[in-house]
Amino acid sequence: MAKKSKIARNEQRKVIVARYATKRLELKKALVDPNGTDESREAARQGLQKLPRNASPVRVRNRDAVDGRPRGHLKQYGISRVRFRDMAHRGELPGITKSSW
């Protein structure tokens, strides 16, 4: 189980990323625009630097939806490998069976 503060901080980051997503996208487009001037590119670069650090989607951590474990996250299921194995053994994941040969 992850600390509640880490989980809460990550949730807050998701909110900030969503808030600044459109502005960030505009600045990124202006930065790589082939028809833009050097001044406009410089202004876009400075605009990106002025955004909060947590506005970058890279800073959001994938965590287990149940207990917030940060490592071993399976994107398809939204849970960690440990929780996946547990739930699969108990039959809580439809269509998942333990293989044997």
Side-chain angles (χ1 to χ4, degrees):
M1 180 76 184
K3 290 168 57 172
K4 299 284 185 191
S5 60
K6 292 285 189 181
I7 296 169
R9 186 180 306 150
N10 200 48
E11 292 304 314
Q12 185 61 33
R13 280 187 180 140
K14 288 179 185 177
V15 170
I16 293 171
V17 166
R19 185 183 310 147
Y20 286 98
T22 55
K23 186 172 185 178
R24 189 175 178 78
L25 188 63
E26 291 172 1
L27 290 170
K28 287 274 209 177
K29 282 184 180 177
L31 195 61
V32 296
D33 183 25
N35 298 329
T37 63
D38 288 340
E39 292 81 22
S40 67
R41 283 196 198 100
E42 183 64 22
R45 187 187 61 77
Q46 287 178 352
L48 271 174
Q49 284 185 339
K50 288 184 179 180
L51 291 178
R53 282 186 176 186
N54 287 336
S56 174
V58 172
R59 290 177 66 97
V60 175
R61 184 86 162 140
N62 288 328
R63 290 185 173 270
D64 188 328
V66 180
D67 66 356
R69 188 177 200 281
R71 305 240 176 147
H73 180 264
L74 301 175
K75 191 173 189 176
Q76 186 175 358
Y77 302 98
I79 55 177
S80 68
R81 60 180 179 79
V82 178
R83 175 92 34 206
F84 178 83
R85 188 170 187 269
D86 237 9
M87 291 174 77
H89 281 307
R90 288 188 302 229
E92 296 175 0
L93 298 174
I96 305 296
T97 56
K98 186 177 187 310
S99 66
S100 61
W101 58 90

